[in-house]
Amino acid sequence: MSILPQPVEGPAIAAAVALAAWRAGSLSAGGAIAATVVGSVAAMAGWPWGAFLVGWFVTASAASRAGRAVKEAATGDVVAKGGRRDHWQVLANGGVFALCALLAMLYPAWAPQAAVAGASALVAAGADTLATETGTWWGGRPWSLRTFAPAAVGTSGAVSAAGTAGMAVAALLLAQMARTVDMISAGEVAVVAAAGVGGALADTLIGAWWQARRWCPSCHKETEQNLHRCGTVTRRTGGMAWLGNDAVNFLCTAVGAAAGTAMLTVPR
Ligand SMILES: [Zn+2]
């Protein structure tokens, strides 16, 4: 059904989707360029990769939009960035997936394993996003995994029952989506869902212990923003300076991919 050869058609579709997402306010201009690169690599690895990436992106963007009004009221002070994803966020979420797509392309013999790793990476990122959205939408006070004290809604490393349930359901639904577009086999759905939960849990643990924590001296509030929305430069009160939200998200997808690969190689 292809009108153009795949090496042309794939990037063209990726650019069109990225442009639409930029116009809809889901991506910044830089984010749209990064998404075009990730999408092009995915489409060249095969249509299932491209289809899963688009399905995942639509799901994650819809979830981000659905609760935006609620969320901004609840977390405007805390989260580092708004709903418009920039290029760092796109690479943090889609970089490992793109690397797996590249592997599948360069080493066709490993393509099935690379597909499980790539799907697990995106499922981890999606489960993490949907955990935050569900937890925020449901309400209730999350608590910090590090201090066991109640934390502000949206704080990295904070968990709630609703958020954790949302994480598990999202992982299963997204793994099923990867199966529906024929990226993975039916027997791999459970592996990819479990690997996704593993990555999202790693994200929470890393967020709780090592992610940079910042404080706005004007508002006397904890935040992840370097420049608080009130205009004050925040100072770091804990965690590692270089380990921001994007780095943690990247690690989330890397752990997901590694867990998926490991579970494949365990004899069953
Ligand atoms: Zn402030």
Side-chain angles (χ1 to χ4, degrees):
M1 291 284 281
S2 290
I3 301 160
L4 299 164
Q6 190 160 318
V8 178
E9 200 173 28
I13 293 172
V17 172
L19 191 66
W22 170 70
R23 290 203 52 167
S26 295
L27 291 171
S28 70
I33 292 168
T36 302
V37 173
V38 171
S40 299
V41 174
M44 284 191 281
W47 292 122
W49 290 77
F52 182 52
L53 179 63
V54 170
W56 173 88
F57 180 71
V58 169
T59 306
S61 298
S64 296
R65 281 175 163 265
R68 190 170 292 173
V70 186
K71 188 165 72 172
E72 283 192 349
T75 67
D77 277 315
V78 180
V79 292
K81 287 165 182 169
R84 198 177 268 269
R85 290 165 192 246
D86 65 16
H87 59 286
W88 288 118
Q89 283 171 295
V90 170
L91 294 177
N93 285 300
V96 170
F97 178 80
L99 282 177
C100 292
L102 214 53
L103 268 179
M105 235 187 308
L106 296 177
Y107 306 99
W110 296 354
Q113 290 89 336
V116 166
S120 299
L122 273 199
V123 170
D128 177 55
T129 300
L130 280 142
T132 307
E133 301 298 343
T134 314
T136 306
W137 167 76
W138 185 265
R141 198 137 175 89
W143 46 275
S144 164
L145 270 182
R146 182 174 49 89
T147 61
F148 292 102
V153 171
T155 305
S156 290
V159 294
S160 68
T164 308
M167 174 197 288
V169 172
L172 206 54
L173 291 177
L174 288 169
Q176 189 57 50
M177 184 192 285
R179 163 68 204 128
T180 303
V181 299
D182 217 18
M183 186 173 168
I184 59 172
S185 71
E188 290 162 345
V189 170
V191 165
V192 169
V197 168
L201 288 176
D203 182 294
T204 306
L205 289 172
I206 295 166
W209 265 275
W210 296 295
Q211 181 170 343
R213 295 183 293 279
R214 309 193 69 85
W215 179 257
C216 173
S218 297
C219 307
H220 300 283
K221 275 187 173 162
E222 226 177 43
T223 176
E224 289 172 7
Q225 297 166 334
N226 287 322
L227 184 67
H228 199 220
R229 64 170 180 175
C230 67
T232 309
V233 176
T234 59
R235 61 187 166 80
R236 185 167 60 91
T237 54
M240 300 182 188
W242 58 272
L243 196 63
N245 213 36
D246 292 332
V248 174
N249 279 340
F250 182 83
L251 289 173
C252 162
T253 63
V255 169
T261 310
M263 279 189 269
L264 267 193
T265 52
V266 170
R268 273 174 290 173

